[in-house]
Each structure stands twice: as C-alpha cells, then as structure tokens.
C-alpha cells in the first residue's frame, strides 16, 4: 500500500490530477460526499456524486483544468499501472492498453481505494474512478433492515469447538447451517459491492470458517480478518478457475463479484447447492427480472436453481439533502407456501408474466407478513 504523500509525489507530470486528488481529499475531510471522478477526452474533469439515477448530479465542483486529451488519459493510466506494478504482474502492464475496457484498483493510505476503469469509445478515451473508503460499513450503516439481518443469522448454527492440545478449553462460534445463493442486483453504481462487503464483514466476525472472495477488481480490503481470503480475477485467478479453487479451499462462504458467463453462473449455483453460502451480483432492474434472468441461464437444471436460491436483493440509491440513501427490496426464501410457489414457477420454467402476476396477486399478503418482498429505507 502506498501513502497519499508518496502517491502524489509520483504524479509530478500530471499537476492537474495531483490538484484534483488534493481537493477531493480535502472535500472528504470536510464531510462532503465525493464518490466519483470522471475524465473524458475533450471535456472538463468532473468529480462529486456522479450517479445517473440522481436528477441533479453533483459535478465539476471546481475547475481543475480545461479539456483533457486522449493522450493525457492514456499517459495517466500508464503511470497508474506503473505505480501499481507491485500488485499487477509486470508483463500485463505492457498489454493493458490493447484492451478496449479494463479495471484495476490502487490502495492509498490516508485516502482510500481508487477503483479505476479505462475504456475507449467512439467519442474518445474515458477514465471513471470510483472512490472507496477503507472502513467497511456495518449492516446498519448500509441500511439493511433488522429483518434481513435476522434472516442472515438464521442461516448460521452455533457450535462449540474443543481445540486440540488445550485440555479443558472450548470455543463458541457459528458455522453455516445451510448453503444457498444470495444475489444482489441493481444498476451500476447502486451500492451492491458495499452492501455485500458489509455482510462479508459481519459473517467474518460471526463464523469460524473461511470466507473467500473473487473480484475484478478487489474493492474493499478486509485488513486484519484472518478468515477472509481475497483474490483478484486476472491477477491471481481467472473466472474459469473459481469453481475448482473454491471446492479445494474448504471455505464456508464465497463471494463472486459477478459471473459474466452463463456456464460459470451454473457453477456458482452448483457451489451454493453443496452447503456453501455464495454471494454474487447481477444487473437487473428488479427482483422479478433477476429471477427470470437466472431461470433462463439455468434452463439445464431448474430444480437445482429452485432449491438453492436463498435471497435476492434489488437495490438502488436515492440522493436526498446531500446524502446518499440506499433502498432495498428483499426476496427472502423462507419455508412458506409462497416460497414453495416461487420455486415451482422456476422448476416449471414459467414465463416472465407468470412471475409478475404472482407478485401482483400476492402483494397484500406479502406486505402484511413482511416475509418475501419488503422495502428497507
């Protein structure tokens, strides 16, 4: 990890980017919400809260520079990759810019994590930088409901361990009592990674087994968590390696940032069916859309998907009075008649409208019981 001062000193040829980071750091110290930096060829630099779902995004808080050229962006990316050469294989640095889209992250002590995404478009080069803090928020801080937290705890089982060679000593902890698939869906930038990080942190403090994450790139770093292992796809493993690696690692909980291939989604479902608790994300506009996308991806084994689903959470962000507020919609797969009906819809390969009709017809019941579909502020 590099210090903020050392990082800034390495940006000697990019005075505009140095000034930008200094202003961002100062704004964060003053309690202002700064989540993104957006650099586009031929335009001014924007920074602030750059969420397309907000009606009035905060941008261009101060004029940093006039217009950025494509060469400026590519040269900056070259330098950022060089700074991170201790975390990336050196041979990758020379071929990165042959890819039209790629992401990587840099951890900066005294500042946070920069999640950097470079892309080439018809309109020129684009650099999108997401700003993340080192501090991992709690379940309460990300706005997950008490009901969801209780459901999460219901997946765990208390046990007593007797360590070898320590006579008369016992340790109380928890294990995952049953596996399953927990999915977080929503638009890009809706907070899926943050809410899952809060849950992984919660589980790391409440179970005795190992937790493994596979991300591209790693965003929240679980420093000091002896039972959390993190792998960055493209650096340590490929997406195709996840299945075999996880099975051999004897972990209880896994997180796959996103399954980009249908065959790998099927493998994730398979892992979740073997007693492991598996988290993953997908892009979907609602719980119903997520169910339908999953069903289509798993047509070869719908009964396995139906029995493995544990929870689906759709999330979005609201921007009110200078603050970002998450809004969740949870579908919790408890042992109820309604859940049995949903599992049957999946197994019978029903159409999208059948799923829509089910939730419309059960809306009052679900609202009353607050069991399946609940919205948390």
């Amino acid at each position: 990890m590099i210090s903020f001062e050392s990082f800034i000193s390495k940006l000697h040829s990019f005075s505009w980017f140095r000034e930008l980071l200094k202003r961002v750091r100062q704004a964060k110290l003053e309690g202002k919400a700064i989540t993104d930096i957006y650099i586009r060829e031929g335009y001014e630099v924007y920074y602030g809260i750059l969420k397309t779902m907000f009606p009035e995004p905060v941008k261009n808080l101060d004029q940093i520079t006039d217009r950025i050229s494509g060469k400026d962006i590519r040269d900056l990316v070259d330098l950022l990759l060089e700074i991170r050469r201790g975390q990336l294989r050196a041979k990758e640095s020379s071929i990165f810019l042959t890819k039209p889209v790629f992401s990587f992250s840099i951890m900066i002590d005294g500042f946070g994590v920069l999640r950097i995404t470079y892309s080439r478009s018809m309109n020129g080069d684009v650099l999108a930088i997401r700003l993340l803090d080192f501090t991992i928020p709690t379940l309460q801080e990300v706005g997950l409901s008490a009901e969801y937290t209780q459901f999460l705890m219901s997946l765990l089982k208390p046990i007593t361990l007797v360590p070898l060679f320590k006579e008369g000593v016992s340790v109380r902890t928890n294990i995952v009592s049953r596996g399953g698939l927990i999915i977080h869906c929503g638009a890009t930038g809706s907070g899926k990674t943050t809410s899952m990080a809060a849950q992984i942190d919660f589980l790391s403090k409440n179970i005795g087994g190992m937790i493994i994450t596979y991300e591209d790139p790693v965003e929240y770093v679980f420093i000091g968590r002896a039972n959390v292992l993190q792998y960055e796809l493209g650096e340590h493993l490929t997406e195709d390696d996840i299945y075999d690696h996880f099975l051999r690692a004897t972990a209880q909980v896994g997180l796959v940032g996103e399954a980009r291939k249908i065959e790998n989604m099927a493998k994730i479902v398979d892992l979740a069916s073997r007693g492991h608790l598996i988290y993953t994300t997908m892009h979907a506009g609602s719980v119903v859309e997520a169910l339908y996308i999953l069903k289509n991806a798993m047509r070869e084994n719908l009964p396995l998907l139906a029995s493995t689903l544990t929870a689906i959470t759709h999330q979005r962000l609201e921007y009110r009075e200078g603050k970002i507020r998450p809004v969740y919609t949870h579908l919790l797969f408890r042992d109820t008649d309604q859940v049995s009906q949903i599992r049957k819809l999946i197994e019978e390969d029903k159409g999208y409208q059948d799923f829509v009709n089910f939730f419309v017809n059960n809306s009052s019941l679900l609202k009353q019981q607050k069991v399946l579909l609940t919205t948390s502020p």
Side-chain angles (χ1 to χ4, degrees):
M1 186 184 303
I2 189 171
S3 70
F4 182 76
E5 291 72 20
S6 296
F7 183 70
I8 288 294
S9 69
K10 293 179 181 294
L11 300 172
H12 51 81
S13 57
F14 296 93
S15 58
W16 61 271
F17 193 65
R18 292 177 61 180
E19 181 63 24
L20 170 64
L21 292 184
K22 288 179 180 179
R23 294 189 187 184
V24 167
R25 187 191 195 194
Q26 184 58 40
K28 292 177 68 176
L29 290 173
E30 294 171 358
K32 296 177 181 176
I34 305 292
T35 62
D36 300 87
I37 299 170
Y38 193 71
I39 305 172
R40 180 180 172 187
E41 180 179 346
Y43 289 84
E44 300 84 357
V45 175
Y46 293 153
Y47 70 101
I49 303 175
L50 307 179
K51 309 284 187 185
T52 57
M53 67 281 290
F54 298 150
E56 296 180 0
V58 180
K59 62 183 182 181
N60 205 23
L61 299 183
D62 289 296
Q63 188 70 28
I64 297 297
T65 186
D66 291 328
R67 296 180 183 274
I68 300 298
S69 70
K71 185 178 185 305
D72 288 331
I73 293 175
R74 292 189 295 274
D75 288 347
L76 176 60
V77 172
D78 267 333
L79 177 59
L80 294 175
L81 286 171
E82 182 183 340
I83 292 172
R84 206 207 154 185
R85 66 181 179 272
Q87 299 170 4
L88 288 172
R89 292 192 294 267
K91 66 179 182 180
E92 288 185 309
S93 296
S94 62
I95 66 171
F96 249 58
L97 290 181
T98 65
K99 300 180 180 180
V101 180
F102 62 86
S103 298
F104 61 100
S105 59
I106 296 177
M107 293 182 290
I108 306 172
D109 190 21
F111 187 82
V113 179
L114 300 182
R115 188 186 74 184
I116 302 162
T117 300
Y118 167 84
S119 60
R120 290 197 301 270
S121 70
M122 290 291 292
N123 309 104
D125 298 81
V126 178
L127 195 60
I129 302 176
R130 175 65 49 80
L131 307 174
L132 298 167
D133 293 324
F134 283 123
T135 303
I136 299 171
T138 65
L139 297 182
Q140 293 73 28
E141 287 171 340
V142 297
L144 286 166
S145 65
E147 179 186 11
Y148 184 89
T149 302
Q150 291 168 3
F151 178 76
L152 197 60
M153 284 299 299
S154 74
L155 304 178
L156 307 182
K157 176 183 178 181
I159 62 168
T160 301
L161 299 177
V162 180
L164 293 175
F165 314 115
K166 290 187 177 181
E167 200 171 319
V169 176
S170 62
V171 178
R172 294 281 294 174
T173 185
N174 296 296
I175 60 172
V176 175
S177 62
R178 63 183 178 91
L181 185 62
I182 296 180
I183 295 172
H184 280 254
C185 63
T188 300
S190 58
K192 299 185 294 295
T193 299
T194 301
S195 59
M196 287 198 306
Q199 292 176 70
I200 293 298
D201 189 56
F202 171 82
L203 290 170
S204 74
K205 299 172 183 175
N206 286 281
I207 67 170
M210 290 298 302
I211 301 171
I212 298 180
T213 77
Y214 305 93
E215 303 166 75
D216 180 21
V218 170
E219 298 182 26
Y220 287 99
V221 181
F222 293 86
I223 299 172
R225 296 281 186 269
N227 61 341
V228 180
L229 287 174
Q230 294 181 271
Y231 293 89
E232 185 154 307
L233 299 180
E235 180 184 352
H236 304 116
L237 298 168
T238 69
E239 184 181 337
D240 295 334
D241 296 327
I242 293 174
Y243 181 80
D244 289 337
H245 180 270
F246 187 84
L247 284 179
R248 293 167 183 166
T250 63
Q252 289 190 35
V253 179
L255 182 151
V256 181
E258 180 183 0
R260 295 181 174 87
K261 301 178 183 177
I262 291 178
E263 58 268 30
N264 285 333
M265 175 57 78
K267 290 179 180 179
I268 290 173
V269 173
D270 183 80
L271 288 176
S273 73
R274 295 170 180 259
H276 309 110
L277 190 62
I278 304 295
Y279 284 83
T280 192
T281 69
M282 59 190 298
H283 294 280
S286 66
V287 167
V288 177
E289 283 186 20
L291 273 172
Y292 191 68
I293 292 170
L294 279 167
K295 181 185 70 68
N296 286 343
M298 287 293 296
R299 275 216 164 99
E300 298 300 317
N301 203 338
L302 291 175
L304 183 66
L305 173 64
S307 63
T308 300
L309 282 171
T310 298
I312 299 177
T313 294
H314 175 267
Q315 55 191 92
R316 61 185 177 84
L317 298 177
E318 291 183 350
Y319 183 59
R320 293 181 181 177
E321 300 177 352
K323 294 183 179 180
I324 301 173
R325 176 182 177 179
V327 178
Y328 300 96
T329 300
H330 302 304
L331 174 58
L332 307 177
F333 285 75
R334 291 171 167 147
D335 294 328
T336 66
D337 291 339
Q338 290 77 29
V339 167
S340 296
Q341 292 178 53
I342 294 174
R343 296 192 195 278
K344 187 175 180 181
L345 289 173
I346 296 171
E347 290 180 3
E348 294 178 351
D349 197 10
K350 294 296 184 179
Y352 180 75
Q353 194 58 47
D354 293 306
F355 284 94
V356 172
N357 292 339
F358 172 82
F359 287 105
V360 168
N361 293 334
N362 288 275
S363 60
S364 60
L365 175 64
L366 298 179
K367 182 178 180 181
Q368 180 182 1
Q369 291 189 342
K370 296 183 180 180
V371 171
L372 297 180
L373 215 55
T374 60
T375 300
S376 307

